[in-house]
């Protein structure tokens, strides 16, 4: 446990033992600085991007994993940062974590050291920010569930001017030479070895290092005694001997017995003034010695483990004993006072002699010290009293009794409580009255009216009286809204190509209610059933003639098919023959692909030969076509002389050969079993040999031969069986009459005719047999020497060629057979069929499969089953985001809208329920979602529905729940996911692509279902992606392939192996083998992995499965090489460099490597030598991605390689907006330059525009003339009609004049050449535009009408869009639709497209940097590329990202999935409230839709089985006990009565459940009338012109402490805002303190909760005795002594030993405190939350989520924890933009926070309204506050 340096060990051990205040200043010459903090946690800080954790109790719950982090940001250097999170088990490049600017130093430190050290850290932070590295600060760190909350600084905070000046001013500091060590040439390693040898068995191995450094200090101290006065010598001897006694006691006394109280150092003058200095020298000596040992070259093989180096309290206790007893015993402490065992005395004497003394250890002489000032020791303090047993109120509730059945609650005392009224003040003084029930669902259903609805409502109010016409208008208005909503849904659904064809129509033949009435009729028909069956059997027994007719018809159909194929062949023959005459590579490629795959191919995959199979019906003719095509292509190869093609054509030649191989491979797969004859197999072999694949030719011949032999054997067996049946028949014709004989004769004649015909047929067969059958099958085997070679580019290893170039074309050995039950209309893979079986068996399942592997279909299959069963059952689809909800809704509409319901039924197909709105059938109507059979929602809503008493009738209808992206259970909103999975009463399907260790998740799900007595939970894990992802780095204006092994760190590989989901493409596999072979040479482990050796005896053509097996063996052997050091450190580094430069990028190559495209697998390029390429490992974060020229070139390069469409991911909305705007402007500028950039171009453009204008003028003139003629005709017609009306009969004839002649649209002025869309400067798809032009134009017009910015519309026109949370919904939907249509090719996106959105692309591009971009998010986003059915591969491109970040994304493992450990009293109150209402329903004899037993079973897992991982904590016990203690807390807060029913303001608390603990504190403030008093007092001081005096602002100053509180760092910027208006609050960014009475009440509440948690911790800890698990360090798992030495106790007579008696007398009894913390002498009384969280035993899991407190400081301090005044400031100035400047909150986060605050205020208003009378000051102020926030958010206020 030496961590990284010497100083941390010494300081860390001291800190853990005796507290941070006793740690001396570390050695100044050390490379690392140990800085103890006030919690006893010693950490290290080093000037490098790494983390070092000290071994102390603060990390008692953490494994070696880097915990998930939620970064709380604030201004550290005058700017601010954002709140993000990282989730990586192994972080290669973590954010640098530093001490804060206010670094605490020792008081004794020189004055100039403090600013230097602080300056060093400031400079280091600036340097990190300049390198675009996030910086997080240790101070203020908090654990919350599975996240670590720290304050961070973003790279955006960096200021180059400040950095330059700070660095310059610190040059002198950094350039100081290190102090030279004292001249000491001693070989310390040799001394250590000699000590070990002398010690023998006297010193245990784990104490060797500690004894050695103690002995060296003792030896040096004794040496320095020479020449000193007797008093000094005596004192130094006492110190040294005390140190050695302390060393012996550390060996002997178990850790849990070292908890005792002793005198503080500050109470003893001698110790504080003299002994501390000696200890400082001891620590300095330790640091030097340990540093020498660590840095020595000869330290190998030495024991360096030491985890208990020094115990300061034990040293002080022993020193106190020695001085006290020595003075009392005439100046000496003899051995009999201690009564040490013999072995202890022996070891003490050994150490004392090694220190250089010739005397015995005892006695210890103190007689010379009796006159020393301050020598008399103070008295020992009283030890900490044990904590009493907690007393809880006896709550009599059936529900609680049901919960406690599983686990008995012990170690508590129960007493009967009395229901005292706690809310008299509200009821009596303010006339409040409790409501019957607040329905949260109804409140959530209420939707805000949009602008049009509000205007309509205001218009009707102004009218006063509403007429029938007005009512009709309103009806039409609503109808129009419905039509528009359905139109939008239909358009969105239509973009999901093919969804409407995935399910057969759903037609319910009978209403389920009517089926019961028909049961009797069915019974009557049973009697007739047998007759009907007889008739059916008669029909099945067809006559011989009928059978002959059927056979004849079948033969005729077959003949028609053959005739069709013959006619088709006549049309195809010329095209097939023409292939042989082509001598141009480009033309051959085009004609070959068009002919075999078709003109409208999506990919260049030859699977099934799409064009051939659609043109020809029989497989025989298809085979003939393919073989003829191969023959022609081969002939073309010969004519073109591929080997003699110029170097720049060889890449294209290789591509043609690759296609040629694909044709042969697919021909063998499709026709090899039956259709290929001897000539055919010979042609296939010759084709393979001619292009360099002789081994593959041998393999396919062997396969063909085996197939032929099997066919022959099957035919022979069938023939033998037929002969046997024929010979076994009796001659039934024997003994018949003459007539029968005539019939026999006739039959014989017929038989003779048939025999003749058979002989004729056999003659033809014989001819074929002469050619095929009679020859031996081996005669069709082709010899390599006899085949002329067309191309020699394959090389010696044809399998390496397949790996290098055939990866995306390898056969996927999945989805080859239809589902035998016909449940889906595609060919499912084996794992997909397993899913179908699981659903049919009504079992639940967890499905883990990569993105785009085809797992989502099972969710829709579940819906299909529910919809086909009846009209009542409900399927719920749970999605994590609103964007995914919208897409899934459209998908369901497209798939299942064929289902119809009875005419007067209220049922609907589709419902959506979100926080923002709820709808039915695509139309937003409050509450109608309940009538839907498929509900799409989010976890928050589903949890609310499941726990709501009024929704139990709907819950009973649940049949299935589908959880998509279920890994979100480990995210910020994971608690809702966890609760929904615990509450659902039906089977479920859980889907995810990124679940690490899915067995743990599956195990938890299984336990949940077992507790609910539901079906078993199955697990299906599929690891193979359909398409491989090729990774690239865009640098130097070009794409360079990135091999994943370039991202490995040697140390990590040696210790942890490779990431479980680190996959290689086939190309990367062969590259790895090649480069490793070059480095290590011949190796018996590695050589067998040569592709030729590995595959030559296995396969001919490689499949994806073969490649994956090769990858597994390759990685396994690679790890063996690394661990065996066959690949040493130098070789590892060389490998990472070599993999950056593939062979095709080396000098002398014909062309540089380019990423294989979709239809064009290799592209031309100029070669570069490795010396001209940058080293990936030296790449930092760049800003080129913000340059439009860079983006333009990248997209053009990808477009040329057919690698578009692409999604560009970036987590900064600001950068996304800028990139889009700049790119659009760049396209326009380039187009302008093309047409007007030069004089010549401008002249040409001018001429073109003149011609266009002339044409326009001509058309305009013609249009105006036509318009005049039409007007004239209209006037004549009008006059005629007028005359007719006056009686002029002659005018009637003119009525026939056609005045409606179409004169066309008015011509529009021509666009300037620079303004129209030029394909050279656009990324849209002309093909998609031609196909969907009308819809696209209409969509763009609608965007303009809805107020979308013009530059966004211009972007859509040019094929570029963006997608993030800040975009308007209609714009985002337009982007999704246009992208799916193929019109858009570039989309800039944030995290909104990461989760499940169906936007298939070929490339994903990552740029920028964010803590939010972690390993899990990267996998989700990268998975968008290469979607199944659209591409054969996907590309992932990194643009201007630091290689450290890239490395962490690729090489890191997924973090283990775990949930939030949030134990919520409010959740328990909600469950009790539901139970109460159900009991009341039962008592009033109203119908109960679900039994109480079922409800209890479904609720109980929430309070007994949390989804959280802990290696040591007994979580289920803790949850059970927490439930019981929460009941008591709710009772004490006046929210629960002693019969388990709710009371007081419980309805308000449950209604505001999302805001816990604010809801409980708000209820407390209301119930005591404090909020009323405060508002009434402030109302007297309210002034209209002073915004800060308004009651709403005053209320916000209170609520800001409760709702969505954001912490502040301990050090705040002192600058005030310099602007003249829109100023924040006076103390901004710190929130002003609460009014005194309210503050005292909040503090009282906090103290009550803190005591409650202490009691809980004590009770849970009492369930498990302290044992070995409590004695192990959390990181290294090094175990401390947990029992006595096998030789016995260290004291012969503990009762007679003065030292033992003194220790025992002062020993503290404890249960909840960790032994590591208990050695401080503290018992189970904890001083603050930090003390409890950091010092509790590991049987518990405690973090800040365990304390439902308000702003309680973690450390002991006055008042509440500093809080950000963001909401108060917003209410004062009303400007979101200033929150970034004043409060460090970005616009996106600020908008979300304000919106959430507004929603909480609205809910509180609704709840208060149900209690308070009209006119109540609290109600009025809450109501006004909600309106003001709404006004500010809409931009109407604060301007």
């Amino acid at each position: 446990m030496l961590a990284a340096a010497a100083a941390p060990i010494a300081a860390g051990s001291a800190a853990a033992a005796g507290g941070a205040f006793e740690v001396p200043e570390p050695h100044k010459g050390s490379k690392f600085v140990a800085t103890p903090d006030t919690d006893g946690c010693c950490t290290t800080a080093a000037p490098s991007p790494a983390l070092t954790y000290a071994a102390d109790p603060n990390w008692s719950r953490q494994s070696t994993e880097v915990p998930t982090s939620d970064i709380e940001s604030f201004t550290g250097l005058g700017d601010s940062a954002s709140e993000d999170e990282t989730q990586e088990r192994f972080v290669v490049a973590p954010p640098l974590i530093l001490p804060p600017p206010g670094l605490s130093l020792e008081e004794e430190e020189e004055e100039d050291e403090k600013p230097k050290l602080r300056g060093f850290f400031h400079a280091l932070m600036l340097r990190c920010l300049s390198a675009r590295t996030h910086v997080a600060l240790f101070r203020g760190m908090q654990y919350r569930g599975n996240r670590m909350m720290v304050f961070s600084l973003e790279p955006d905070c960096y200021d180059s001017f400040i950095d330059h000046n700070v660095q310059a001013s610190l040059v002198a500091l950094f350039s100081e030479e290190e102090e030279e060590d004292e001249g000491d040439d001693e070989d310390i390693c040799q001394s250590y070895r000699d000590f070990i040898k002398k010690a023998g068995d006297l010193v245990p191995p784990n104490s060797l290092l500690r004894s050695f450094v103690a002995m060296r200090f003792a030896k040096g101290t004794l040496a320095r005694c020479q020449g000193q006065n007797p008093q000094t010598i005596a004192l130094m001897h006492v110190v040294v001997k005390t140190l050695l006694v302390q060393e012996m006691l550390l060996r002997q006394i178990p850790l849990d017995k070292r908890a005792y109280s002793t005198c503080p150092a500050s109470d003893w003058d001698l110790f504080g003034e003299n002994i501390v200095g000696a200890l400082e020298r001891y620590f300095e000596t330790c640091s030097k010695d340990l540093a020498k040992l660590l840095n020595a070259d000869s330290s190998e093989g030495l024991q360096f483990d030491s985890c208990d180096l020094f115990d300061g309290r034990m040293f002080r206790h022993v020193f106190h004993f020695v001085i006290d007893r020595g003075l009392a015993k005439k100046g000496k402490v003899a051995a009999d006072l201690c009564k040490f065992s013999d072995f202890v005395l022996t070891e003490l004497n050994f150490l004392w002699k090694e220190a250089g003394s010739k005397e015995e250890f005892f006695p210890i002489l103190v007689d010379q010290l009796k006159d020393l000032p301050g020598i008399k020791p103070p008295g020992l303090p009283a030890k900490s009293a044990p904590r009493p047993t907690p007393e809880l109120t006896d709550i009599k509730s059936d529900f609680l009794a049901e919960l406690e059945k599983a686990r008995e609650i012990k170690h508590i005392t129960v007493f009967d409580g009395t229901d005292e009224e706690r809310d008299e003040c509200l009821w009596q003084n303010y006339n409040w009255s409790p409501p019957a029930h607040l329905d949260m669902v109804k409140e959530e259903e209420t939707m805000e009216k949009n602008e049009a609805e509000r205007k309509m409502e205001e218009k009707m109010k102004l009218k006063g009286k509403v007429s029938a016409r007005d009512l009709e208008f309103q009806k039409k208005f609503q109808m129009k809204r419905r039509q528009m909503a359905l139109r939008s849904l239909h358009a969105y659904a239509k973009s999901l190509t093919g969804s409407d064809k995935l399910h057969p129509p759903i037609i319910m033949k009978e209403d389920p209610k009517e089926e019961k009435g028909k049961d009797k009729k069915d019974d009557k028909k049973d009697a007739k059933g047998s007759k009907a069956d007889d008739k059916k059997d008669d029909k099945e027994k067809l006559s011989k003639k009928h059978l002959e007719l059927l056979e004849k018809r079948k033969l005729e159909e077959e003949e028609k098919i053959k005739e069709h194929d013959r006619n088709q062949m006549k049309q195809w023959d010329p095209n097939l023959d023409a292939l042989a005459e082509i001598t141009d590579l480009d033309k051959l490629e085009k004609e070959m692909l068009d002919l075999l795959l078709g003109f409208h191919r999506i990919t260049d995959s030859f699977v099934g030969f799409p064009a051939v199979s659609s043109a020809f019906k029989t497989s025989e003719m298809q085979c003939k076509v393919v073989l003829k095509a191969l023959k022609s292509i081969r002939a073309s190869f010969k004519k073109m002389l591929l080997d003699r093609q110029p170097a720049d054509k060889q890449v294209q030649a290789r591509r043609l050969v690759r296609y040629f191989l694909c044709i042969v491979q697919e021909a063998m797969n499709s026709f090899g079993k039956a259709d290929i004859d001897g000539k055919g197999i010979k042609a296939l072999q010759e084709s393979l040999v001619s292009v360099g694949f002789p081994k593959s030719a041998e393999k396919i011949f062997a396969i063909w031969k085996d197939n032929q032999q099997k066919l022959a054997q099957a035919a022979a067996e069938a023939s033998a069986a037929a002969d046997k049946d024929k010979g076994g028949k009796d001659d039934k014709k024997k003994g018949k009459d003459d007539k029968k004989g005539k019939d026999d004769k006739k039959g014989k004649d017929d038989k003779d005719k048939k025999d003749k015909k058979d002989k004729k047929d056999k003659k033809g067969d014989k001819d074929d047999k002469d050619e095929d059958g009679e020859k031996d099958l081996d005669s069709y085997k082709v010899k390599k020497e006899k085949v002329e070679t067309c191309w020699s580019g394959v090389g010696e290893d044809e399998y390496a060629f397949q790996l290098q170039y055939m990866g995306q074309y390898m056969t996927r050995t999945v989805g080859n057979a239809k589902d035998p039950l016909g449940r889906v209309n595609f060919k499912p893979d084996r794992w997909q069929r397993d899913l179908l079986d699981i659903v049919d068996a009504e079992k639940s399942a967890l499905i883990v499969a990569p993105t785009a592997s085809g797992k989502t279909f099972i969710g829709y299959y579940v819906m299909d089953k529910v919809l086909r069963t009846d009209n009542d059952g409900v399927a719920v689809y749970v999605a994590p985001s609103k964007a995914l909800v919208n897409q899934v809704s459209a998908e369901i509409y497209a798939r299942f809208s064929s289902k119809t319901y009875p005419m007067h039924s209220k049922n609907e197909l589709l419902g959506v329920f979100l926080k923002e709105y709820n709808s039915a059938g695509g139309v937003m109507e409050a509450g109608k979602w309940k009538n839907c059979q498929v509900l799409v929602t989010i976890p928050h809503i589903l949890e609310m529905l499941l726990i709501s008493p009024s929704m139990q009738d709907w819950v009973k209808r649940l049949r299935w729940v589908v959880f998509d992206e279920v890994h979100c259970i480990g995210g910020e909103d994971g608690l809702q996911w966890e609760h929904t999975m615990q509450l659902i009463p039906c089977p479920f399907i859980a889907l995810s692509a990124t679940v690490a260790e899915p067995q743990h998740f599956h195990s938890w799900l299984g336990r949940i279902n077992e507790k609910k007595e539901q079906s078993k939970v199955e697990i299906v894990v599929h690891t193979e992606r359909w398409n491989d992802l090729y990774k690239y780095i865009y640098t130097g204006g070009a794409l360079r392939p990135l091999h994943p092994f370039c991202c490995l760190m040697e140390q990590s590989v040696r210790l942890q192996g490779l990431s479980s989901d680190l996959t290689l493409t086939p190309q990367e596999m062969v590259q790895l083998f090649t480069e490793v072979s070059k480095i290590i040479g011949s190796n018996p482990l590695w050589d067998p992995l040569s592709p030729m050796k590995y595959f030559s005896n296995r396969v001919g053509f490689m499949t994806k499965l073969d490649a994956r097996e090769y990858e597994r063996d390759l990685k396994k052997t690679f790890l063996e090489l690394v661990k065996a050091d066959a690949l040493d450190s130098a070789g590892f580094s060389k490998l990472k460099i070599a993999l950056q430069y593939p062979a095709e990028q080396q000098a002398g190559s014909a062309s540089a490597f380019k990423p294989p495209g979709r239809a064009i697998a290799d592209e031309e390029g100029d070669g570069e030598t490795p010396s001209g390429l940058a080293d990936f490992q030296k790449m930092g974060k760049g800003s080129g991605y913000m340059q439009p020229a860079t983006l333009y070139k990248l997209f053009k390069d990808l477009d040329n390689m057919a690698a578009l469409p692409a999604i560009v991911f970036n987590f900064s909305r600001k950068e996304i907006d800028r990139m889009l705007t700049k790119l659009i402007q760049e396209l326009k500028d380039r187009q302008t330059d093309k047409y007007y950039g030069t004089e010549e171009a401008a002249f040409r453009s001018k001429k073109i525009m003149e011609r266009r204008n002339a044409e326009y003028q001509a058309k305009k003139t013609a249009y105006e003339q036509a318009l005049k003629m039409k007007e004239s005709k209209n006037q004549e017609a009008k006059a005629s009609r007028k005359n007719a009306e006056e009686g002029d009969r002659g005018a009637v004839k003119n009525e026939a004049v056609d005045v409606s002649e179409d004169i066309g649209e008015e011509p529009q002025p021509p666009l300037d050449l620079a303004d129209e869309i030029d394909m050279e400067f656009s990324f849209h798809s002309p093909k998609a535009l031609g196909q969907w032009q009308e819809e696209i134009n209409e969509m763009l017009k609608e965007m303009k009408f809805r107020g979308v910015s013009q530059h966004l519309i211009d972007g859509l026109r040019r094929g570029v869009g963006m997608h993030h949370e800040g975009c308007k919904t209609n714009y985002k939907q337009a982007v999704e639709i246009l992208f799916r249509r193929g019109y858009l090719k570039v989309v800039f996106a944030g995290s909104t497209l990461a989760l499940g959105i169906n936007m298939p692309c070929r490339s994903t591009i990552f740029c920028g940097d964010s803590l939010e971009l972690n390993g899990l998010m990267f996998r989700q986003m990268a998975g968008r590329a290469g979607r199944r059915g659209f591409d054969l591969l996907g590309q992932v491109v990194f643009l201007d990202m630091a290689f450290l970040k890239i490395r962490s994304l690729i090489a890191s493992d997924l973090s283990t999935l775990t949930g939030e450990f949030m134990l919520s009293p409010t959740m328990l109150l909600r469950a009790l409230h539901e139970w109460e209402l159900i009991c009341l329903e039962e008592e009033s004899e109203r119908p109960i839709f679900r039994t109480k037993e079922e409800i209890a079973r479904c609720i109980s897992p929430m309070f007994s089985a949390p989804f959280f991982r802990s290696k040591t904590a007994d979580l289920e016990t803790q949850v059970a006990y927490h439930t019981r203690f929460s009941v008591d807390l709710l009772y004490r807060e006046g929210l629960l009565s002693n019969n388990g029913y709710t009371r007081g303001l419980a309805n308000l608390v449950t209604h505001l459940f999302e805001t816990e603990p604010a809801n409980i504190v708000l209820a407390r403030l209301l119930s005591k009338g404090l909020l009323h008093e405060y508002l009434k007092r402030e109302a007297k001081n309210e002034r209209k012109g002073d915004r800060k005096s308004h009651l709403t602002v005053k209320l916000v100053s209170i609520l800001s402490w409760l709702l969505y509180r954001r912490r502040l760092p301990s050090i705040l910027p002192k600058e005030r805002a310099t602007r003249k208006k829109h100023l924040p609050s006076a103390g901004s960014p710190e929130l002003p303190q609460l009014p005194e009475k309210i503050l005292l009440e909040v503090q009282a509440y906090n103290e009550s909760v803190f005591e409650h948690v202490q009691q809980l911790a004590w009770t849970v800890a009492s369930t498990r005795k302290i044992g070995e698990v409590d004695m192990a360090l959390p990181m290294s798992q090094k175990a401390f002594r947990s029992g006595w030495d096998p030789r016995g106790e260290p004291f012969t007579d503990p009762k007679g030993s003065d030292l033992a008696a003194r220790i025992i007398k002062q020993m503290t009894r404890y249960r909840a405190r960790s032994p590591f913390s208990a050695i401080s002498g503290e018992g189970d009384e904890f001083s603050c939350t930090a003390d409890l969280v950091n010092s509790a035993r590991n049987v518990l899991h405690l973090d800040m989520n365990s304390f439902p407190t308000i702003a309680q400081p973690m450390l002991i301090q006055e008042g509440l924890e500093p809080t950000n005044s963001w909401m108060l400031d917003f209410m004062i100035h009303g400007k979101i933009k200033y929150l970034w400047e004043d409060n460090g909150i970005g616009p996106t986060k600020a908008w979300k926070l304000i919106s959430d605050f507004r929603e909480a205020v609205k809910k509180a208003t609704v709840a208060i309204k149900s209690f308070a009378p009209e006119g109540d000051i609290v109600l009025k102020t809450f109501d006004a506050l909600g309106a003001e926030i709404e006004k500010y958010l809409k931009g109407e206020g604060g301007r």
Side-chain angles (χ1 to χ4, degrees), residues 785-992:
E785 298 77 15
K786 295 184 178 181
V787 180
E788 180 183 354
T789 302
C790 298
W791 190 61
S792 58
V794 173
E796 296 179 357
D797 194 338
E798 61 186 80
Y799 294 101
F801 182 91
Q802 290 189 51
L803 288 169
Q804 181 75 14
Y805 300 109
M806 298 290 292
Q808 66 265 36
Y809 297 102
M810 288 180 179
T811 301
R812 279 79 165 166
T813 53
V814 291
N816 294 326
K818 289 185 178 181
D819 177 42
L821 300 178
R823 293 170 289 188
V824 289
N825 62 352
F826 61 92
K827 295 179 180 178
D829 304 342
R830 176 63 198 166
W831 65 276
Q832 291 174 320
R833 287 198 296 274
D834 292 341
L835 285 181
L836 293 170
D837 294 339
I838 289 169
V839 171
D840 287 346
E842 296 189 351
K843 295 181 181 179
S844 299
L846 169 65
I847 300 105
V848 182
T851 306
S853 60
K855 62 181 176 295
T856 313
F857 88 96
I858 196 63
Y860 298 106
Y861 177 73
V862 161
M863 297 174 199
D864 187 271
K865 282 183 70 69
V866 171
L867 291 171
R868 291 182 190 280
T869 302
D870 55 37
N871 293 334
D872 190 55
V874 175
V876 177
Y877 186 99
V878 183
S881 66
K882 182 180 175 182
L884 188 53
V885 165
N886 292 336
Q887 179 193 293
V888 171
S889 303
E891 185 90 14
I892 293 169
Y893 177 82
R895 287 172 181 257
F896 305 117
S897 56
S898 63
K899 177 163 183 177
T900 57
Y901 294 93
M903 185 174 295
H904 301 292
S905 171
K906 293 182 180 180
N907 288 20
E908 292 276 1
L909 167 70
L910 169 66
V912 175
F913 198 168
L914 298 172
K915 289 183 178 181
E916 296 82 359
Y917 69 89
N918 54 97
S919 66
V923 181
M924 285 189 279
E925 292 184 70
K928 292 292 185 68
W929 61 269
K930 198 173 180 181
N931 300 328
C932 301
Q933 277 201 272
V934 180
L935 177 66
V936 186
T937 187
I938 56 177
H940 166 87
I941 297 296
L942 182 57
E943 180 208 26
M944 186 178 59
L945 296 178
L946 292 170
I947 203 73
S948 171
S950 62
M951 290 293 115
Q952 295 309 303
D953 57 334
W954 178 84
V955 174
K956 187 177 182 181
R957 294 169 52 205
L958 281 181
R959 300 294 179 267
W960 281 92
V961 177
V962 179
F963 295 98
D964 201 0
E965 309 294 348
V966 75
H967 60 266
C968 293
I969 195 174
E972 193 172 341
D973 298 324
L975 197 63
Q976 279 76 37
W977 288 84
E978 184 176 334
H979 287 168
T980 53
M981 302 190 91
Q982 290 166 331
L983 287 167
I984 54 174
C986 60
F988 65 86
I989 295 292
L991 307 169
S992 180

Side-chain angles (χ1 to χ4, degrees), residues 1138-1170:
L1139 289 174
Q1140 295 182 33
Y1141 313 109
E1144 293 187 353
Q1145 284 185 320
Q1146 307 293 336
S1149 174
S1151 61
F1153 176 83
K1154 287 293 182 72
R1158 182 172 179 174
I1160 305 174
D1162 292 295
E1163 288 296 335
E1164 192 58 36
D1166 298 327
E1168 284 186 280
T1169 61

Side-chain angles (χ1 to χ4, degrees), residues 240 375 546 643 700 1509:
V240 169
I375 185 65
H546 195 170
D643 275 341
I700 67 165
R1509 298 188 75 170

Side-chain angles (χ1 to χ4, degrees), residues 579 588 592 628-637 660 663:
L579 290 176
L588 178 60
M592 174 179 63
K628 191 166 184 179
L630 280 171
K631 182 180 177 182
S632 297
I633 295 168
R634 187 178 160 205
S636 177
F637 284 173
F660 189 66
I663 297 172

Side-chain angles (χ1 to χ4, degrees), residues 86-137:
T86 56
Q87 295 182 355
E88 282 140 29
R89 182 180 71 82
F90 171 69
V91 181
V92 182
L96 183 63
I97 299 188
L98 297 173
L103 183 71
S104 60
L105 303 174
E106 292 294 324
E107 292 180 1
E108 297 83 6
E109 187 152 14
E110 300 175 12
E111 287 299 322
D112 60 340
E113 288 295 322
K114 188 170 183 178
K116 281 184 179 180
L117 192 53
R118 186 184 294 116
F120 168 78
F121 281 114
H122 280 169
L124 181 55
M125 284 189 282
L126 285 167
R127 180 58 65 206
C128 294
L129 295 175
S130 69
R132 314 300 293 175
T133 300
H134 295 265
V135 177
L137 306 178

Side-chain angles (χ1 to χ4, degrees), residues 781 1094 1253 1516:
K781 187 173 183 179
Y1094 188 89
N1253 281 322
E1516 292 200 4

Side-chain angles (χ1 to χ4, degrees), residues 354-372:
E354 285 297 311
S357 177
K358 296 180 181 179
E359 302 172 355
E360 292 293 319
F361 185 84
F362 284 105
I364 302 174
L365 302 176
V366 298
D367 55 332
Q368 296 289 338
L369 305 177
K370 60 184 178 181
D371 297 329
L372 193 67

